[in-house]
mmCIF file with all atom_site columns, all heavy atoms in Angstrom:
data_model
loop_
_atom_site.group_PDB
_atom_site.id
_atom_site.type_symbol
_atom_site.label_atom_id
_atom_site.label_alt_id
_atom_site.label_comp_id
_atom_site.label_asym_id
_atom_site.label_entity_id
_atom_site.label_seq_id
_atom_site.pdbx_PDB_ins_code
_atom_site.Cartn_x
_atom_site.Cartn_y
_atom_site.Cartn_z
_atom_site.occupancy
_atom_site.B_iso_or_equiv
_atom_site.pdbx_formal_charge
_atom_site.auth_seq_id
_atom_site.auth_comp_id
_atom_site.auth_asym_id
_atom_site.auth_atom_id
_atom_site.pdbx_PDB_model_num
ATOM 1   N N   . PRO A 1 306 ? 9.699  18.034 21.243 1.00 98.00 ? 306 PRO A N   1
ATOM 2   C CA  . PRO A 1 306 ? 9.334  16.945 22.202 1.00 98.00 ? 306 PRO A CA  1
ATOM 3   C C   . PRO A 1 306 ? 7.960  16.357 21.864 1.00 98.00 ? 306 PRO A C   1
ATOM 4   O O   . PRO A 1 306 ? 7.001  16.485 22.581 1.00 98.00 ? 306 PRO A O   1
ATOM 5   C CB  . PRO A 1 306 ? 9.290  17.658 23.578 1.00 98.00 ? 306 PRO A CB  1
ATOM 6   C CG  . PRO A 1 306 ? 8.819  19.053 23.111 1.00 98.00 ? 306 PRO A CG  1
ATOM 7   C CD  . PRO A 1 306 ? 9.487  19.384 21.802 1.00 98.00 ? 306 PRO A CD  1
ATOM 8   N N   . VAL A 1 307 ? 7.938  15.705 20.680 1.00 98.00 ? 307 VAL A N   1
ATOM 9   C CA  . VAL A 1 307 ? 6.698  14.993 20.187 1.00 98.00 ? 307 VAL A CA  1
ATOM 10  C C   . VAL A 1 307 ? 6.827  13.532 20.412 1.00 98.00 ? 307 VAL A C   1
ATOM 11  O O   . VAL A 1 307 ? 7.940  12.947 20.121 1.00 98.00 ? 307 VAL A O   1
ATOM 12  C CB  . VAL A 1 307 ? 6.478  15.444 18.695 1.00 98.00 ? 307 VAL A CB  1
ATOM 13  C CG1 . VAL A 1 307 ? 5.313  14.599 18.136 1.00 98.00 ? 307 VAL A CG1 1
ATOM 14  C CG2 . VAL A 1 307 ? 6.205  16.909 18.613 1.00 98.00 ? 307 VAL A CG2 1
ATOM 15  N N   . ASP A 1 308 ? 5.769  12.868 20.756 1.00 98.00 ? 308 ASP A N   1
ATOM 16  C CA  . ASP A 1 308 ? 5.756  11.409 20.915 1.00 98.00 ? 308 ASP A CA  1
ATOM 17  C C   . ASP A 1 308 ? 5.077  10.661 19.788 1.00 98.00 ? 308 ASP A C   1
ATOM 18  O O   . ASP A 1 308 ? 5.410  9.495  19.569 1.00 98.00 ? 308 ASP A O   1
ATOM 19  C CB  . ASP A 1 308 ? 5.101  11.024 22.207 1.00 98.00 ? 308 ASP A CB  1
ATOM 20  C CG  . ASP A 1 308 ? 5.766  11.683 23.391 1.00 98.00 ? 308 ASP A CG  1
ATOM 21  O OD1 . ASP A 1 308 ? 6.885  11.203 23.838 1.00 98.00 ? 308 ASP A OD1 1
ATOM 22  O OD2 . ASP A 1 308 ? 5.259  12.669 23.966 1.00 98.00 ? 308 ASP A OD2 1
ATOM 23  N N   . ALA A 1 309 ? 4.162  11.294 19.077 1.00 98.00 ? 309 ALA A N   1
ATOM 24  C CA  . ALA A 1 309 ? 3.411  10.620 17.989 1.00 98.00 ? 309 ALA A CA  1
ATOM 25  C C   . ALA A 1 309 ? 2.933  11.629 16.994 1.00 98.00 ? 309 ALA A C   1
ATOM 26  O O   . ALA A 1 309 ? 2.651  12.764 17.352 1.00 98.00 ? 309 ALA A O   1
ATOM 27  C CB  . ALA A 1 309 ? 2.292  9.773  18.556 1.00 98.00 ? 309 ALA A CB  1
ATOM 28  N N   . TYR A 1 310 ? 2.761  11.155 15.803 1.00 98.00 ? 310 TYR A N   1
ATOM 29  C CA  . TYR A 1 310 ? 2.194  12.047 14.659 1.00 98.00 ? 310 TYR A CA  1
ATOM 30  C C   . TYR A 1 310 ? 0.947  11.357 14.162 1.00 98.00 ? 310 TYR A C   1
ATOM 31  O O   . TYR A 1 310 ? 0.911  10.193 13.959 1.00 98.00 ? 310 TYR A O   1
ATOM 32  C CB  . TYR A 1 310 ? 3.215  12.183 13.555 1.00 98.00 ? 310 TYR A CB  1
ATOM 33  C CG  . TYR A 1 310 ? 4.586  12.667 13.936 1.00 98.00 ? 310 TYR A CG  1
ATOM 34  C CD1 . TYR A 1 310 ? 5.610  11.768 14.235 1.00 98.00 ? 310 TYR A CD1 1
ATOM 35  C CD2 . TYR A 1 310 ? 4.834  14.081 14.068 1.00 98.00 ? 310 TYR A CD2 1
ATOM 36  C CE1 . TYR A 1 310 ? 6.866  12.267 14.598 1.00 98.00 ? 310 TYR A CE1 1
ATOM 37  C CE2 . TYR A 1 310 ? 6.101  14.506 14.416 1.00 98.00 ? 310 TYR A CE2 1
ATOM 38  C CZ  . TYR A 1 310 ? 7.075  13.596 14.750 1.00 98.00 ? 310 TYR A CZ  1
ATOM 39  O OH  . TYR A 1 310 ? 8.337  14.041 15.067 1.00 98.00 ? 310 TYR A OH  1
ATOM 40  N N   . GLY A 1 311 ? -0.093 12.203 13.847 1.00 98.00 ? 311 GLY A N   1
ATOM 41  C CA  . GLY A 1 311 ? -1.252 11.713 13.221 1.00 98.00 ? 311 GLY A CA  1
ATOM 42  C C   . GLY A 1 311 ? -1.245 12.289 11.780 1.00 98.00 ? 311 GLY A C   1
ATOM 43  O O   . GLY A 1 311 ? -1.196 13.485 11.582 1.00 98.00 ? 311 GLY A O   1
ATOM 44  N N   . VAL A 1 312 ? -1.351 11.422 10.757 1.00 98.00 ? 312 VAL A N   1
ATOM 45  C CA  . VAL A 1 312 ? -1.214 11.867 9.410  1.00 98.00 ? 312 VAL A CA  1
ATOM 46  C C   . VAL A 1 312 ? -2.412 11.437 8.586  1.00 98.00 ? 312 VAL A C   1
ATOM 47  O O   . VAL A 1 312 ? -2.914 10.342 8.675  1.00 98.00 ? 312 VAL A O   1
ATOM 48  C CB  . VAL A 1 312 ? 0.051  11.293 8.748  1.00 98.00 ? 312 VAL A CB  1
ATOM 49  C CG1 . VAL A 1 312 ? 0.301  11.946 7.390  1.00 98.00 ? 312 VAL A CG1 1
ATOM 50  C CG2 . VAL A 1 312 ? 1.256  11.449 9.673  1.00 98.00 ? 312 VAL A CG2 1
ATOM 51  N N   . GLY A 1 313 ? -2.932 12.318 7.778  1.00 97.00 ? 313 GLY A N   1
ATOM 52  C CA  . GLY A 1 313 ? -4.147 12.103 6.979  1.00 97.00 ? 313 GLY A CA  1
ATOM 53  C C   . GLY A 1 313 ? -3.945 12.279 5.489  1.00 97.00 ? 313 GLY A C   1
ATOM 54  O O   . GLY A 1 313 ? -3.557 11.468 4.734  1.00 97.00 ? 313 GLY A O   1
ATOM 55  N N   . THR A 1 314 ? -4.340 13.525 5.056  1.00 97.00 ? 314 THR A N   1
ATOM 56  C CA  . THR A 1 314 ? -4.401 13.855 3.660  1.00 97.00 ? 314 THR A CA  1
ATOM 57  C C   . THR A 1 314 ? -3.166 13.498 2.884  1.00 97.00 ? 314 THR A C   1
ATOM 58  O O   . THR A 1 314 ? -3.234 12.811 1.827  1.00 97.00 ? 314 THR A O   1
ATOM 59  C CB  . THR A 1 314 ? -4.698 15.336 3.464  1.00 97.00 ? 314 THR A CB  1
ATOM 60  O OG1 . THR A 1 314 ? -5.857 15.730 4.145  1.00 97.00 ? 314 THR A OG1 1
ATOM 61  C CG2 . THR A 1 314 ? -4.917 15.683 1.979  1.00 97.00 ? 314 THR A CG2 1
ATOM 62  N N   . GLN A 1 315 ? -2.020 13.830 3.389  1.00 97.00 ? 315 GLN A N   1
ATOM 63  C CA  . GLN A 1 315 ? -0.808 13.649 2.573  1.00 97.00 ? 315 GLN A CA  1
ATOM 64  C C   . GLN A 1 315 ? -0.487 12.120 2.424  1.00 97.00 ? 315 GLN A C   1
ATOM 65  O O   . GLN A 1 315 ? 0.085  11.696 1.430  1.00 97.00 ? 315 GLN A O   1
ATOM 66  C CB  . GLN A 1 315 ? 0.364  14.322 3.197  1.00 97.00 ? 315 GLN A CB  1
ATOM 67  C CG  . GLN A 1 315 ? 0.242  15.890 3.070  1.00 97.00 ? 315 GLN A CG  1
ATOM 68  C CD  . GLN A 1 315 ? 0.198  16.370 1.693  1.00 97.00 ? 315 GLN A CD  1
ATOM 69  O OE1 . GLN A 1 315 ? 0.875  15.930 0.820  1.00 97.00 ? 315 GLN A OE1 1
ATOM 70  N NE2 . GLN A 1 315 ? -0.730 17.331 1.424  1.00 97.00 ? 315 GLN A NE2 1
ATOM 71  N N   . LEU A 1 316 ? -0.922 11.399 3.418  1.00 98.00 ? 316 LEU A N   1
ATOM 72  C CA  . LEU A 1 316 ? -0.637 9.955  3.380  1.00 98.00 ? 316 LEU A CA  1
ATOM 73  C C   . LEU A 1 316 ? -1.552 9.305  2.361  1.00 98.00 ? 316 LEU A C   1
ATOM 74  O O   . LEU A 1 316 ? -0.990 8.489  1.495  1.00 98.00 ? 316 LEU A O   1
ATOM 75  C CB  . LEU A 1 316 ? -0.825 9.338  4.798  1.00 98.00 ? 316 LEU A CB  1
ATOM 76  C CG  . LEU A 1 316 ? -0.730 7.812  4.797  1.00 98.00 ? 316 LEU A CG  1
ATOM 77  C CD1 . LEU A 1 316 ? 0.655  7.324  4.533  1.00 98.00 ? 316 LEU A CD1 1
ATOM 78  C CD2 . LEU A 1 316 ? -1.138 7.266  6.214  1.00 98.00 ? 316 LEU A CD2 1
ATOM 79  N N   . VAL A 1 317 ? -2.812 9.532  2.481  1.00 97.00 ? 317 VAL A N   1
ATOM 80  C CA  . VAL A 1 317 ? -3.742 8.787  1.604  1.00 97.00 ? 317 VAL A CA  1
ATOM 81  C C   . VAL A 1 317 ? -3.686 9.271  0.113  1.00 97.00 ? 317 VAL A C   1
ATOM 82  O O   . VAL A 1 317 ? -4.331 8.661  -0.710 1.00 97.00 ? 317 VAL A O   1
ATOM 83  C CB  . VAL A 1 317 ? -5.172 8.871  2.133  1.00 97.00 ? 317 VAL A CB  1
ATOM 84  C CG1 . VAL A 1 317 ? -5.244 8.185  3.509  1.00 97.00 ? 317 VAL A CG1 1
ATOM 85  C CG2 . VAL A 1 317 ? -5.680 10.238 2.152  1.00 97.00 ? 317 VAL A CG2 1
ATOM 86  N N   . THR A 1 318 ? -2.948 10.338 -0.169 1.00 97.00 ? 318 THR A N   1
ATOM 87  C CA  . THR A 1 318 ? -2.766 10.750 -1.469 1.00 97.00 ? 318 THR A CA  1
ATOM 88  C C   . THR A 1 318 ? -1.325 10.453 -1.987 1.00 97.00 ? 318 THR A C   1
ATOM 89  O O   . THR A 1 318 ? -0.919 11.075 -2.976 1.00 97.00 ? 318 THR A O   1
ATOM 90  C CB  . THR A 1 318 ? -3.063 12.221 -1.670 1.00 97.00 ? 318 THR A CB  1
ATOM 91  O OG1 . THR A 1 318 ? -2.307 13.039 -0.737 1.00 97.00 ? 318 THR A OG1 1
ATOM 92  C CG2 . THR A 1 318 ? -4.547 12.575 -1.379 1.00 97.00 ? 318 THR A CG2 1
ATOM 93  N N   . GLY A 1 319 ? -0.601 9.712  -1.200 1.00 97.00 ? 319 GLY A N   1
ATOM 94  C CA  . GLY A 1 319 ? 0.796  9.368  -1.615 1.00 97.00 ? 319 GLY A CA  1
ATOM 95  C C   . GLY A 1 319 ? 1.762  10.460 -1.435 1.00 97.00 ? 319 GLY A C   1
ATOM 96  O O   . GLY A 1 319 ? 2.799  10.362 -2.128 1.00 97.00 ? 319 GLY A O   1
ATOM 97  N N   . SER A 1 320 ? 1.476  11.467 -0.697 1.00 96.00 ? 320 SER A N   1
ATOM 98  C CA  . SER A 1 320 ? 2.352  12.568 -0.526 1.00 96.00 ? 320 SER A CA  1
ATOM 99  C C   . SER A 1 320 ? 2.819  13.180 -1.808 1.00 96.00 ? 320 SER A C   1
ATOM 100 O O   . SER A 1 320 ? 3.998  13.257 -2.107 1.00 96.00 ? 320 SER A O   1
ATOM 101 C CB  . SER A 1 320 ? 3.569  12.215 0.384  1.00 96.00 ? 320 SER A CB  1
ATOM 102 O OG  . SER A 1 320 ? 4.164  13.367 0.861  1.00 96.00 ? 320 SER A OG  1
ATOM 103 N N   . GLY A 1 321 ? 1.806  13.398 -2.728 1.00 95.00 ? 321 GLY A N   1
ATOM 104 C CA  . GLY A 1 321 ? 2.173  14.010 -3.966 1.00 95.00 ? 321 GLY A CA  1
ATOM 105 C C   . GLY A 1 321 ? 2.303  13.053 -5.114 1.00 95.00 ? 321 GLY A C   1
ATOM 106 O O   . GLY A 1 321 ? 2.374  13.476 -6.267 1.00 95.00 ? 321 GLY A O   1
ATOM 107 N N   . HIS A 1 322 ? 2.376  11.800 -4.810 1.00 96.00 ? 322 HIS A N   1
ATOM 108 C CA  . HIS A 1 322 ? 2.532  10.754 -5.886 1.00 96.00 ? 322 HIS A CA  1
ATOM 109 C C   . HIS A 1 322 ? 1.511  9.637  -5.655 1.00 96.00 ? 322 HIS A C   1
ATOM 110 O O   . HIS A 1 322 ? 1.793  8.565  -5.082 1.00 96.00 ? 322 HIS A O   1
ATOM 111 C CB  . HIS A 1 322 ? 3.944  10.171 -5.840 1.00 96.00 ? 322 HIS A CB  1
ATOM 112 C CG  . HIS A 1 322 ? 4.955  11.191 -6.168 1.00 96.00 ? 322 HIS A CG  1
ATOM 113 N ND1 . HIS A 1 322 ? 5.171  11.725 -7.465 1.00 96.00 ? 322 HIS A ND1 1
ATOM 114 C CD2 . HIS A 1 322 ? 5.971  11.777 -5.350 1.00 96.00 ? 322 HIS A CD2 1
ATOM 115 C CE1 . HIS A 1 322 ? 6.152  12.539 -7.420 1.00 96.00 ? 322 HIS A CE1 1
ATOM 116 N NE2 . HIS A 1 322 ? 6.616  12.622 -6.172 1.00 96.00 ? 322 HIS A NE2 1
#
Side-chain angles (χ1 to χ4, degrees):
V307 172
D308 298 285
Y310 306 93
V312 190
T314 303
Q315 293 302 317
L316 175 66
V317 299
T318 57
S320 196
H322 297 291

